[in-house]
Amino acid sequence: MEVLVTMIKVDFFYRQLINHGTEFFSGVPDSLLKSFCAWLTCHAGKNKHIIAVNEGAAVGLASGYHLATGKIPLVYMQNSGIGNAVNPLLSLADGDVYRIPLLLLIGWRGEAGTRDEPQHIKQGKVTLDLFDAMKIPFCVLSDKEDEAAVQLDEAYRRIQKDQSPFALIVRKDTFAPYVPDAVPAPEAEMSRESAIEEIILSSAPEELFISTTGMASRELYELREKHGQGHEKDFLTVGSMGHASSVALGLALQKPELPVTCLDGDGAALMHLGSLAAIGAERPANLRHIVLNNGAHDSVGGQPTIAREIDLGGIARAAGYTEAVTVRTMEELKNILKEKKLPRPSFIEIMVRKGNRKDLGRPLSSPPENKESFMRFIAGEKT
Ligand SMILES: Cc1ncc(C[n+]2csc(CCOP(=O)(O)OP(=O)(O)O)c2C)c(N)n1
């Protein structure tokens, strides 16, 4: 029997939004919203689509847009980002405060009954409960265009009536694929994986690694396998985007005798850029912060970040890191890594290109197993 697969086309959905008067969009990309994000990047126009550094900032940007225009903006995010948005949703946009009308579009990773990564399971289970608790009305977006159109009518009716947010929750495969014309990607000589390989192969045997969410942690895991090394020196921060550097700082301060490297992404570093200031102020002499800058949210579809337009090294230097360098070629990277005297806390920005190996796997150990072997290694016990 033929199974009929229904999906919403993003141009249809976008037209519905425009017809309801929504023409400003801000958010942090999500793999489930990949086609919608790609459509916005190509069609929303200048100053009408801002990829925000974090989900709370997206609510702020949308609120500012509303103050300027009186119109209803849309804020999109993965459900992992709800936590970042809770404060401005409840203390700025909420009906009990400034009453900012907003349409929220939430990618529902980890929905019960779907297979997903460990970091999405709990978030998926509590997603609807979180909106209930925030008393933000919501519905799960239908994958049928006629039903979705009715849901949108109702959502806008509620937003207009309450002058406050309404959320559309988006299941996996709700939006049909949309592949935009090739968007020029920032050029770079190195891949992220080859940079990570060079870093781990040139590091001291006792160097501890705190790696960021997404592909970087998966590549680090597979590279350890490839080189027959164990995983006990690596803490893979599989969720908690933007907090790997804080985990590294917390660890480095308590274990000054151990060298610690944070392997960060540019999107993740931007998400909680204030953490650079915390590292600069604490100045742990054992911490090295490496940002793999591909100018993109590569792990969720390659949407652009602003990291290639700003001077991350300059920010780190101004924050108080002892040394900050940017490297563009493998030769430069090798030189820097061999330069034992690069005093810590050091900041190394590595320009890498977008993309990953097609057969890249996922860690086989669970987060608790990862944590336990990491802690045993630090405690000096045999793993
Ligand atoms: C708070 C939060 N928002 C959004 C996401 C979805 N997400 C997972 S990985 C990722 C992109 C990370 O980009 P970057 O740090 O630049 O690393 P890259 O994927 O490019 O290697 C995003 C947006 C998330 N996991 N958590």
Side-chain angles (χ1 to χ4, degrees):
M1 201 179 74
E2 198 185 326
V3 183
L4 206 62
V5 181
T6 51
M7 286 182 184
I8 301 180
K9 289 196 251 359
V10 279
D11 55 335
F12 167 84
F13 187 70
Y14 181 74
R15 241 181 306 115
Q16 297 289 317
L17 299 173
I18 295 286
N19 290 343
H20 280 285
T22 291
E23 51 185 41
F24 180 85
F25 309 86
S26 184
V28 176
D30 171 30
S31 48
L32 302 191
L33 307 176
K34 190 161 72 180
S35 350
F36 180 66
C37 295
W39 181 272
L40 292 180
T41 300
C42 298
H43 295 88
K46 195 169 157 39
N47 292 342
K48 294 293 165 63
H49 177 212
I50 309 287
I51 297 180
V53 290
N54 64 55
E55 293 79 358
V59 175
L61 277 155
S63 301
Y65 166 84
H66 172 74
L67 294 178
T69 63
K71 294 184 186 172
I72 302 174
L74 180 143
V75 172
Y76 62 85
M77 67 187 78
Q78 181 176 99
N79 55 348
S80 320
I82 296 169
N84 281 338
V86 167
N87 176 25
L89 282 175
L90 298 187
S91 66
L92 171 69
D94 194 79
D96 286 347
V97 196
Y98 279 109
R99 307 183 74 211
I100 309 278
L102 293 179
L103 182 61
L104 305 172
L105 192 68
I106 312 289
W108 193 2
R109 295 290 303 261
E111 181 190 357
T114 62
R115 275 180 54 149
D116 214 326
E117 296 306 302
Q119 67 272 23
H120 294 296
I121 305 298
K122 185 57 166 274
Q123 188 82 50
K125 268 189 206 152
V126 302
T127 291
L128 304 185
D129 296 338
L130 287 174
F131 283 96
D132 267 335
M134 290 192 283
K135 300 204 174 10
I136 294 178
F138 64 88
C139 68
V140 177
L141 186 65
S142 170
D143 56 5
K144 297 182 188 63
E145 292 185 348
D146 51 349
E147 288 179 11
V150 174
Q151 288 178 318
L152 274 172
D153 290 344
E154 173 58 15
Y156 278 97
R157 199 190 58 72
R158 280 295 295 265
I159 294 172
Q160 294 286 9
K161 181 166 101 26
D162 302 343
Q163 289 295 301
S164 44
F166 184 100
L168 296 171
I169 314 292
V170 182
R171 291 195 161 113
K172 194 164 181 274
D173 295 331
T174 296
F175 287 118
Y178 166 72
V179 183
D181 296 340
V183 183
E187 283 301 313
E189 182 196 290
M190 276 175 281
S191 67
R192 181 185 45 227
E193 185 169 0
S194 62
I196 296 174
E197 186 166 36
E198 187 54 39
I199 294 162
I200 60 170
L201 294 181
S202 65
S203 291
E206 69 280 16
E207 184 89 41
L208 301 171
F209 285 86
I210 309 290
S211 58
T212 186
T213 186
M215 303 287 187
S217 282
R218 291 167 59 185
E219 288 168 347
L220 174 61
Y221 186 92
E222 294 232 326
L223 285 165
R224 294 294 195 194
E225 296 277 306
K226 174 179 167 189
H227 292 286
Q229 300 175 341
H231 300 285
E232 67 281 0
K233 287 174 258 178
D234 307 332
F235 183 82
L236 313 177
T237 321
V238 289
S240 213
M241 180 171 168
H243 293 304
S245 61
S246 293
V247 176
L249 174 60
L251 173 69
L253 290 174
Q254 300 312 315
K255 292 284 171 190
E257 71 283 10
L258 291 175
V260 177
T261 292
C262 172
L263 275 185
D264 219 346
D266 55 295
L270 285 168
M271 182 165 271
H272 294 298
L273 202 57
S275 300
L276 266 71
I279 294 171
E282 293 293 341
R283 293 201 178 199
N286 53 336
L287 181 60
R288 177 172 68 164
H289 189 175
I290 298 181
V291 174
L292 300 148
N293 186 351
N294 52 16
H297 290 103
D298 201 21
S299 303
V300 289
Q303 304 84 351
T305 71
I306 50 171
R308 290 292 185 98
E309 289 154 47
I310 62 169
D311 179 8
L312 277 177
I315 292 172
R317 220 171 289 119
Y321 284 66
T322 315
E323 192 81 57
V325 293
T326 298
V327 298
R328 290 182 171 77
T329 64
M330 185 52 89
E331 204 187 330
E332 285 173 2
L333 179 62
K334 285 186 173 170
N335 285 340
I336 280 296
L337 294 174
K338 279 199 212 99
E339 178 64 78
K340 296 271 184 317
K341 300 230 166 53
L342 201 62
R344 302 186 182 198
S346 57
F347 185 88
I348 307 175
E349 178 188 33
I350 308 176
M351 298 306 191
V352 294
R353 58 174 184 267
K354 267 169 62 166
N356 58 281
R357 207 162 19 91
K358 289 299 158 255
D359 59 350
L360 182 65
R362 294 181 185 273
L364 297 174
S365 52
S366 69
E369 285 164 355
N370 176 209
K371 184 193 90 170
E372 278 152 28
S373 76
F374 185 75
M375 289 181 74
R376 275 200 302 274
F377 179 80
I378 294 175
E381 296 167 28
K382 273 205 161 335
T383 49

